[in-house]
Amino acid sequence: MITAAEYVESLKRLKKRQIYLAGELVDDPVAHPIIRPSINAVALTYRLAEMEEHAPLMTATSALTGKRVNRFSHLHQDAHDLIMKVEMQRLLGQLTGSCFQRCVGWDALNALWSTTYEMDQAGGTAYHDRLKAYLAEWEERDWTVAGSMTDPKGNRRLSPSAQADPDLYLHLVERRPEGMVVRGAKAHQTGILNAHEIIVMPTMSLRAEDSNYAVSFALPADSAGLIYIYGRQSCDTRKLEPTRTDVGNINYGGQEALVIFNDVLVPWERVFMCGEWNFASTLVERFSGYHRQSYGGCKAGMGDVLIGAASALAVCHGLEKTSHIKDKLTEMIHLNETLFSCGIACSALGQTTKAGNYLIDQLLANVCKLNVTRFPYEIARLAQDIAGGLLVTLPSDQDFQSPLMGPLLEKYLAGEDAVKTGERQQLLRLVEAMTLGTVAACYLTESMHGAGSPQAQRIMIQRLANLSGKESLARRLAGIDPDGLVYT
């Protein structure tokens, strides 16, 4: 395993990449003030693994070598591993208050592990051995690996092969002796500038005519032909200002980008699917299930931060003993713990795949994620309620630092006597960042659309809920079918 410092240095050693931010080519992404907070969040996943008190949660025993590895490169071996995953994600959400960006690639690994095994059994391919060799290198080098699934999609009514522009879904354009050439793009790519490697997957179930879109592979993040365009976040240019206080989350942040694959060559040893359209749905559903489980940990951890900020602001206002404030904080806690409970439940009721790694309970994972599309929004609403109107009318930190205006703000924005005005200012900025600003992308919008929009979870819940079995329970107890089988 590598250290946090070694991780940051490894990013500096990547080859020069085409990274565009606000219309300009980024010369040094590691030093860029808008990008650096997201790097800090990833670095913490390495730093905690170095610490004795967190090592049991942050590391695991490799299923390949028996060595100790960072948990973010681990194949889940049992329900305990899945539970540890959710607990680790909650811890990181608590300590960063943002996205820490290593989950998507990890979830892709575990989904690919079982899917490639079953592809090989069905078609006599060698994808699983390739993935096994890739994982051995991943563990040894302790890579951060970005997972890439979502395509731009163009006209959503049309399948990939029916699009006016075939590049709106990433696809195979040429087979060569040394590898395959792909073209297209992947959107909303979490933490991809902070990754050493990229794992690509198809974005949806496919048909035979879409076989060129059934591709999965891995490649270095500094490969030739990749173009990165950094996504805007609300209030992101505050990171360029001389003071950090108005950023809200001082040290950490998330990151998203559009990644364009401009005729990129992928060596055959890095290819894990090439034309097997009938396995695309298996891979997508398993990946989605793992990633929907993930949200029961990371969003609960971020929720802990927001609940803590709201509670501290109630103290600043002198309202911490008021009944309606207590009720709101209790409701926030209830919603947050429900998210975490779903993440734990789908982990505890998982099962072993044919390939030997462990898969979450798909129904409960989808229930978990559907709750995540709702509950953080209500937690955020209640936090804004407790914070008050000053959340969006607070003057800038430059005004607080001004010799003329600073004393006036200290006087007129004071709250509870025992609390400094500056503490209230910083807590308000944190709530603003998490519910309206840069970190809101991680906590709210990602809660809605990450790992699939709400409709995707509803479809899976309808498919997995076994309504006919529930009907048999009712018919049996109503006396319509007294000899019916007991539902399991």
Side-chain angles (χ1 to χ4, degrees):
M1 293 185 290
I2 64 174
T3 67
E6 288 169 339
Y7 162 69
V8 174
E9 286 301 312
S10 71
L11 294 182
K12 296 177 182 178
R13 292 194 299 270
L14 292 177
K15 290 181 288 189
K16 181 73 174 179
R17 291 171 288 169
Q18 293 188 70
I19 299 170
Y20 293 90
L21 193 160
E24 296 183 353
L25 186 64
V26 176
D27 181 60
D28 184 0
V30 175
H32 198 290
I34 288 181
I35 300 174
R36 185 56 192 244
S38 66
I39 295 175
N40 293 342
V42 181
L44 192 66
T45 68
Y46 291 93
R47 178 70 186 100
L48 294 182
E50 300 173 51
M51 301 170 66
E52 185 176 354
E53 62 270 34
H54 295 302
L57 196 59
M58 297 299 302
T59 66
T61 301
S62 167
L64 298 184
T65 67
K67 295 180 181 178
R68 207 69 184 162
V69 296
N70 193 295
R71 191 171 291 277
F72 279 106
S73 64
H74 181 54
L75 290 169
H76 311 305
Q77 296 300 294
D78 49 30
H80 177 70
D81 271 348
L82 291 173
I83 290 170
M84 294 286 275
K85 173 192 176 186
V86 176
E87 291 181 349
M88 178 186 72
Q89 289 166 324
R90 186 169 190 173
L91 173 66
L92 285 163
Q94 291 169 342
L95 297 182
T96 64
S98 72
C99 178
F100 33 92
Q101 305 154 64
R102 293 183 75 180
C103 303
V104 188
W106 186 21
D107 291 336
L109 164 67
N110 276 275
L112 274 166
W113 190 261
S114 57
T115 305
T116 54
Y117 182 87
E118 290 168 27
M119 275 196 289
D120 289 355
Q121 282 193 322
T125 49
Y127 295 132
H128 192 68
D129 284 342
R130 293 176 185 176
L131 183 62
K132 187 180 295 185
Y134 180 73
L135 176 56
E137 188 174 7
W138 178 346
E139 289 183 345
E140 183 65 27
R141 299 195 180 192
D142 203 1
W143 281 329
T144 286
V145 180
S148 293
M149 174 168 277
T150 306
D151 292 271
K153 297 180 181 176
N155 187 336
R156 269 64 167 178
R157 292 195 308 271
L158 302 177
S159 67
S161 58
Q163 297 288 327
D165 185 345
D167 298 343
L168 291 173
Y169 287 79
L170 189 143
H171 61 104
L172 170 72
V173 293
E174 183 183 358
R175 286 180 171 88
R176 297 179 182 174
E178 66 272 28
M180 69 177 184
V181 177
V182 296
R183 184 188 305 152
K186 291 291 184 179
H188 325 305
Q189 294 304 287
T190 299
I192 198 159
L193 297 185
N194 303 333
H196 305 103
E197 291 274 325
I198 303 169
I199 284 185
V200 171
M201 300 163 284
T203 195
M204 60 192 292
S205 299
L206 299 171
R207 297 177 294 192
E209 59 266 33
D210 300 318
S211 61
N212 282 342
Y213 296 86
V215 292
S216 179
F217 56 88
L219 77 167
D222 56 1
S223 295
L226 293 178
I227 301 171
Y228 300 88
I229 305 174
Y230 200 91
R232 285 300 305 265
Q233 296 174 337
S234 178
C235 307
D236 55 3
T237 53
R238 289 188 185 184
K239 297 173 184 175
L240 303 175
E241 296 174 2
T243 174
R244 298 284 297 164
T245 299
D246 284 343
V247 174
N249 188 331
I250 302 297
N251 294 314
Y252 301 108
Q255 176 200 112
E256 309 290 334
L258 174 71
V259 185
I260 297 169
F261 294 73
N262 189 13
D263 289 356
V264 176
L265 176 65
V266 183
W268 288 119
E269 64 268 20
R270 293 291 197 91
V271 174
F272 311 128
M273 175 186 284
C274 186
E276 290 80 8
W277 60 270
N278 51 323
F279 278 93
S281 60
T282 301
L283 178 56
V284 170
E285 287 179 8
R286 289 178 186 175
F287 166 79
S288 298
Y290 281 123
H291 206 48
R292 289 164 188 171
Q293 170 218 21
S294 293
Y295 282 32
C298 65
K299 302 312 176 196
M302 294 182 70
D304 289 329
V305 175
L306 190 54
I307 292 166
S311 179
L313 279 169
V315 174
C316 293
H317 301 333
L319 297 174
E320 70 274 15
K321 296 181 180 179
T322 306
S323 60
H324 75 91
I325 296 294
K326 288 182 177 180
D327 286 345
K328 289 166 185 172
L329 288 169
T330 300
E331 178 65 5
M332 294 167 78
I333 294 167
H334 164 235
L335 294 172
N336 203 51
E337 296 304 328
T338 301
L339 297 180
F340 183 63
S341 299
C342 286
I344 294 297
C346 70
S347 304
L349 296 181
Q351 58 186 349
T352 306
T353 70
K354 293 177 182 177
N357 65 327
Y358 222 68
L359 180 67
I360 38 75
D361 181 280
Q362 288 276 21
L363 174 60
L364 294 183
N366 280 274
V367 170
C368 177
K369 176 53 174 55
L370 191 57
N371 283 338
V372 169
T373 68
R374 301 173 181 174
F375 294 175
Y377 286 86
E378 179 63 7
I379 294 169
R381 186 189 71 82
L382 292 169
Q384 291 181 351
D385 184 352
I386 294 170
L390 198 58
L391 182 70
V392 292
T393 65
L394 187 69
S396 71
D397 193 51
Q398 287 93 327
D399 291 318
F400 275 90
Q401 301 301 323
S402 165
L404 176 62
M405 291 170 283
L408 295 174
L409 293 174
E410 289 286 340
K411 173 182 173 66
Y412 288 106
L413 296 184
E416 165 65 40
D417 290 342
V419 179
K420 296 179 180 178
T421 304
E423 292 180 15
R424 186 186 187 197
Q425 171 201 7
Q426 290 174 282
L427 287 166
L428 285 165
R429 287 302 186 208
L430 178 59
V431 173
E432 180 195 28
M434 295 191 71
T435 63
L436 298 169
T438 53
V439 189
C442 302
Y443 185 57
L444 295 180
T445 309
E446 188 178 80
S447 291
M448 180 66 72
H449 293 292
S453 62
Q455 188 59 24
Q457 286 99 67
R458 290 190 180 96
I459 290 170
M460 288 299 296
I461 289 169
Q462 290 168 6
R463 186 186 302 171
L464 298 169
N466 193 358
L467 280 175
S468 62
K470 298 182 194 319
E471 289 174 14
S472 71
L473 291 176
R475 294 173 69 86
R476 180 172 177 271
L477 290 175
I480 299 171
D481 185 14
D483 296 325
L485 295 176
V486 176
Y487 168 74
T488 57

